[in-house]
Every structure is written in structure tokens, then in C-alpha cells.
Amino acid sequence: MEKNSEPTANKNQKKANLLDHHSIKHILDESVSEIVASRGYAEDVRMSNVRLLLGTVIIAVALVAQFYKKKFPENRDFLIGCIGKYIVLNVVLQLIIFVKEKNAILFTYPPQGSYTSTGLMITSKLPRFADDYTLTIASADPKSISAGKTVDLTKSVTKWFTKDGVLVEGLFWKDVNSLLDQYSGEAKKSK
């Protein structure tokens, strides 16, 4: 009976290619999202929806320019207008990503029954050719009166992965939960 339960446990393990920092970061970021959701924070997808809507408008402008009824010499002014709109909308999209999202992996709403009026913005960094993963928890609205102080954790990924590339979830969950507790404690102190 124990032999059957072991392969199931192996299937649920999160395994990364230790030579690929994107693979490592992806697994850690996904685990952070799971941990935050388990703490009662619902994901706020409004910013993603805005980006998708803006991307759809950009594609529509490009399609209209491509399949416009008139051929090139006659539709020159129309094409110039479409190209201008395409460039302006792409710049707006890039500004949203650069200014608002930065390195964010997750935006949340405040948990149900919470006294705070702002959710979390969680960012992460894992520089290329480095093993230090930095996880930062900040308020989604830093100007809010209920915004907590930003907290971060920097730790070597070697502390959370086995030599085979399997994530030791218990250790990682413990570290992320203590960071969430630290943020919650700072938010309560600042009130």
C-alpha cells in the first residue's frame, strides 16, 4: 500500500531544472501565488484585464490597417493614422507594464473581513547567474492610509531545492508565511 502512495507524492512534487533560472523562478512564483491564496487573498486581475483589452485594441488597429478596402497609394493617410495609433497604444501598454506592474507576480484584493482597504503587490527577482531570490511584499496602493511597510526576503534558492531540483515546499512555505506575517504585523503597527 505504501508503494502506491509514493509515486503519487512524486507526481505532486515541483521539480525545476537547476541550470535554468527561469524554471526556478517560475516554480517559486507559482508557489508564492498558492501560499498567498491559501491565506485568504483573492487575486486582483484588473491590471491584466486592462493589458489584455489594450492588446486587443492594438491588434484590431493592425487588422483594420491590413485589411482596409483601398490599396496602398489610395489609403496612405489612413495607414499613417493606423501606424500612429499602433505606436501610441503600444507605448501606453509598455508604460503600464513598466510603471505600474514592475516585477509584480501577483496583485491581490484585501482578505475578507480585513480592516485594510488595500491588497498586496508581490514582486520577485532572481537575477541571471545568481542564486539569491528576492521576494517583496508591498501594498497594492502605497498611498493608502492602510498601506503597510514594504517587507522583503532574500535567500539563496539552494535552501529550498534539493540537488535533484525538487522544491522543498515546507521550507519555502514557512519562509513566505513568515514574510506575510511580518507584513501583516507591520501593517498593524502602522495603524
Side-chain angles (χ1 to χ4, degrees):
M1 191 171 218
E2 287 182 34
K3 290 181 181 178
N4 290 341
S5 64
E6 217 167 287
T8 308
N10 287 339
K11 288 180 184 177
N12 293 333
Q13 290 180 340
K14 296 178 181 176
K15 190 169 183 177
N17 177 357
L18 294 179
L19 301 176
D20 179 12
H21 80 283
H22 292 295
S23 172
I24 294 169
K25 186 176 183 312
H26 177 73
I27 286 177
L28 293 174
D29 291 350
E30 287 296 319
S31 295
V32 167
S33 296
E34 290 173 16
I35 296 165
V36 171
S38 74
R39 294 281 297 255
Y41 290 92
E43 185 174 359
D44 182 358
V45 293
R46 290 179 293 185
M47 189 59 62
S48 296
N49 290 343
V50 167
R51 281 191 2 238
L52 286 172
L53 178 65
L54 197 52
T56 302
V57 171
I58 291 168
I59 291 169
V61 167
L63 287 173
V64 167
Q66 178 70 30
F67 297 111
Y68 190 65
K69 295 177 188 176
K70 295 180 182 177
K71 295 296 174 196
F72 173 61
E74 300 166 4
N75 69 349
R76 183 176 178 271
D77 294 337
F78 179 77
L79 282 177
I80 290 172
C82 286
I83 291 169
K85 289 177 188 168
Y86 183 85
I87 291 169
V88 167
L89 290 172
N90 266 308
V91 167
V92 169
L93 180 61
Q94 292 304 315
L95 282 173
I96 289 172
I97 292 169
F98 183 73
V99 173
K100 182 66 178 160
E101 287 193 349
K102 299 174 187 160
N103 292 324
I105 58 171
L106 181 66
F107 287 94
T108 70
Y109 291 107
Q112 293 289 348
S114 173
Y115 65 89
T116 63
S117 61
T118 181
L120 304 176
M121 179 177 77
I122 300 175
T123 60
S124 70
K125 291 182 200 169
L126 180 61
R128 193 170 184 184
F129 305 121
D131 66 342
D132 287 335
Y133 179 79
T134 301
L135 184 65
T136 304
I137 300 176
S139 173
D141 182 12
K143 295 176 184 173
S144 171
I145 194 165
S146 62
K149 186 177 178 185
T150 301
V151 294
D152 61 353
L153 164 76
T154 301
K155 205 170 197 181
S156 172
V157 295
T158 59
K159 305 290 183 197
W160 300 314
F161 284 93
T162 65
K163 63 182 177 182
D164 298 326
V166 176
L167 177 65
V168 182
E169 289 189 72
L171 292 175
F172 187 65
W173 277 62
K174 180 181 170 191
D175 288 340
V176 174
N177 275 320
S178 67
L179 189 64
L180 283 166
D181 290 340
Q182 184 182 349
Y183 178 81
S184 298
E186 291 294 331
K188 288 176 186 171
K189 286 179 188 173
S190 67
K191 276 288 287 197

